[in-house]
């Protein structure tokens, strides 16, 4: 069974698009899979259209891509919701202004 990494992004800032795009562009190796969860931490769900468009148009090796609205203020609660929704056994939390390298998941797997 492959190891599944859950990349959880609690997005509030407008930089969330770049973070999500970089998360979707992860490399994989045999025995390693990943999913991407985008939690929209805005009160007006302004990241929904962006996230769904990236999920549909950007090539990705992610086995699961999930958008979740999360209107309760605060990154910690959003991350906790991400954990509840995640299917992975390993979690990678990204702030919405981080641009991960394509090898991030593989680096976690090697650690």
């Amino acid at each position: 069974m492959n190891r599944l990494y859950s990349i959880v992004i609690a997005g509030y800032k407008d930089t969330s698009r770049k973070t999500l795009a970089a998360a979707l562009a992860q490399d994989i190796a045999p025995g390693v899979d990943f999913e991407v969860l985008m939690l929209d931490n805005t009160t007006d769900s302004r990241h929904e259209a962006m996230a769904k468009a990236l999920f549909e148009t950007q090539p990705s090796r992610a086995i699961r891509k999930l958008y979740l609205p999360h209107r309760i203020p605060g990154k910690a609660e959003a991350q906790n919701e991400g954990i509840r929704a995640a299917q992975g056994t390993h979690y990678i939390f990204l702030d919405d202004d981080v641009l991960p390298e394509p090898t991030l998941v593989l680096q976690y797997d090697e650690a």
Side-chain angles (χ1 to χ4, degrees):
M1 177 180 250
N2 287 356
R3 293 172 300 286
L4 178 59
Y5 289 83
S6 298
I7 300 174
V8 179
I9 304 165
Y12 179 79
K13 300 175 190 168
D14 290 336
T15 54
S16 295
R17 184 184 199 298
K18 292 180 180 178
T19 301
L20 179 58
L24 289 168
Q26 292 298 299
D27 295 334
I28 58 170
V32 178
D33 286 318
F34 72 99
E35 64 178 354
V36 178
L37 293 84
M38 175 70 193
L39 288 99
D40 189 342
N41 205 198
T42 63
T43 57
D44 59 3
S45 298
R46 67 176 163 256
H47 295 313
E48 181 175 10
M50 172 275 297
K52 290 181 176 180
L54 276 176
F55 288 163
E56 291 178 14
T57 61
Q58 180 170 326
S60 177
R61 293 184 171 104
I63 64 167
R64 182 174 176 235
K65 299 172 256 184
L66 182 64
Y67 167 85
L68 294 169
H70 184 78
R71 293 182 181 89
I72 300 169
K75 180 172 69 170
E77 181 56 37
Q79 289 175 334
N80 287 335
E81 184 173 333
I83 291 171
R84 289 188 291 271
Q87 295 179 350
T89 53
H90 308 284
Y91 307 103
I92 301 172
F93 297 100
L94 295 179
D95 285 345
D96 58 2
D97 58 359
V98 171
L99 294 177
E101 294 293 326
T103 57
L104 179 70
V105 170
L106 297 177
Q107 290 175 20
Y108 268 74
D109 193 59
E110 291 174 3

